[in-house]
Amino acid sequence: FFFSSRRRHTRCLSDWSSDVCSSDLALENYRQELSSTSLKAKQQSEKLVSLLKNEIKDLICASDLENRQFKYLSLIIPNIDGEQLKNELAEMAIDIDSGSACKSADLRPSHVLAAMGLPTSGNIRITFKSSHTEKDLETLAAAIIKKVKVLRN
């Protein structure tokens, strides 16, 4: 009886060990994919900020460019209405967000930006996806620059 039980227990441990190894491998693959995706999003956001700052000199990056979830970028463009810019870009089939990050439907000024001592108007948020290409970034930057010039005049 003890021997039989022990053999069954050993088999269970072996099955369990195999499951743990499979889970560990899946987790490692996920970490590598996440790291790769995060790196791409970081490069995308840095590229977009660079393109925008060349033309919009007073652009403020509300996101910490080093310590954040890289797929999200929060920008402040002074002297424009972020919601209006969002709507103008939507007419060009470009979707961005504006308003409070906690509740995007809430058009009140962001209490988080205010607490950070940053302007609360002109705020836009961009979400990067792994499917976005360099051409997509250039198109987005050109559209934002064009619409900012229109909205400021």
Side-chain angles (χ1 to χ4, degrees), residues 30-135:
Y30 173 75
R31 282 186 187 138
Q32 288 176 357
E33 183 180 321
L34 185 61
S35 178
S36 173
T37 301
S38 185
L39 177 60
K40 182 175 181 185
K42 181 179 187 221
Q43 292 168 340
Q44 289 174 327
S45 63
E46 289 171 346
K47 168 91 175 178
L48 182 63
V49 169
S50 175
L51 290 169
L52 292 174
K53 280 192 171 188
N54 285 336
E55 297 292 324
I56 305 171
K57 303 297 184 197
D58 55 351
L59 178 80
I60 300 169
C61 187
S63 298
D64 179 338
L65 290 177
E66 292 301 320
N67 301 306
R68 64 185 171 91
Q69 287 187 342
F70 296 115
K71 70 178 190 173
Y72 303 113
L73 179 65
S74 180
L75 301 172
I76 300 167
I77 304 172
N79 305 314
I80 64 138
D81 179 327
E83 187 67 16
Q84 190 175 2
L85 176 58
K86 173 189 158 191
N87 293 337
E88 293 278 334
L89 292 172
E91 290 178 8
M92 300 172 69
I94 297 173
D95 292 323
I96 63 168
D97 293 306
S98 179
S100 171
C102 300
K103 298 177 187 169
S104 60
D106 186 352
L107 298 180
R108 289 180 293 173
S110 169
H111 66 280
V112 174
L113 293 177
M116 292 169 62
L118 295 170
T120 57
S121 63
N123 178 43
I124 61 170
R125 292 184 322 282
I126 298 161
T127 303
F128 297 98
K129 297 181 180 169
S130 59
S131 61
H132 289 147
T133 65
E134 183 140 342
K135 178 73 173 149

Side-chain angles (χ1 to χ4, degrees), residues 1-14:
F1 190 141
F2 181 76
F3 181 74
S4 172
S5 174
R6 183 178 173 124
R7 206 178 328 172
R8 187 175 61 224
H9 182 67
T10 303
R11 188 176 55 81
C12 286
L13 283 177
S14 176

